Amino acid sequence: MVLSTGYNKVKTAVFISGTGSNLKSLIKFSKNRISPISIDYIISNNSKAKGLNFAKKYKIKKKVLNFKNKQLSENKLLSIFKKNNVKMICLAGFMKILSKNFIKKFEGKILNIHPSLLPKYKGLYTYQRALNNKEKYSGCTVHFVNSKLDSGKIILQKKVKVAKNDTVNSLAKKILIQEHKLYPKAILKIFNL
Ligand code: GAR
């Protein structure tokens, strides 16, 4: 693949529900010459997601869909992606579960970042559960998305040491810093770069 001109980058949509700090790190990465992806769409189920502001700032198209009728929302996305040649999806703090049918259509092309060392602590409240279990380490994982929640093939993980006095907030902060580095690295890895 020729990457130097930027024209052949794989068009990617990032799905968010909240702050979008991982989205920001992916946008920055995508602008680097070495990035195999460009960020062409920001998708959110939440019209109030702070991360949607990055659409204006970086002139990226955005689409808000409420996912109340999941099939309808997903079909709209499939049609937008087809029309615009979007080939990859990065979930970045997206708190809705995509349907099996949607995942199948993008098989092997949907990535997710999760704030735990999977397979430990799938789902929600990962920090609290790690603290309750007095884990010495927690961390983050980038994985492919399959039809089982947080269970697809792991691409990369980063361990983070849990301090004795860590709280949910302090642990989340430490892990998030690592997430911002891990997601771009995982993308380079799947493109063999
Ligand atoms: C991140 O910590 C991400 O790993 C987590 O939500 C946060 C989003 O932060 N994702 C999940 O819990 C998915 N199950 P951000 O909006 O600042 O990127």
Side-chain angles (χ1 to χ4, degrees), residues 18-22 92-93 95 113-115 127 176 179:
T19 315
S21 69
N22 276 290
M95 302 315 256
I113 189 151
H114 185 76
Y127 318 107
L176 198 58
E179 290 185 37

Side-chain angles (χ1 to χ4, degrees), residues 16-24 51 91-95 112-116 123-124 126-127 140-141 149-150 172 175-176 179-180:
I16 61 164
S17 298
T19 315
S21 69
N22 276 290
L23 163 67
K24 187 180 176 195
L91 306 184
F94 183 63
M95 302 315 256
N112 181 41
I113 189 151
H114 185 76
S116 78
L124 298 174
T126 55
Y127 318 107
C140 45
T141 303
L149 183 69
D150 300 327
I175 293 177
L176 198 58
E179 290 185 37
H180 299 156

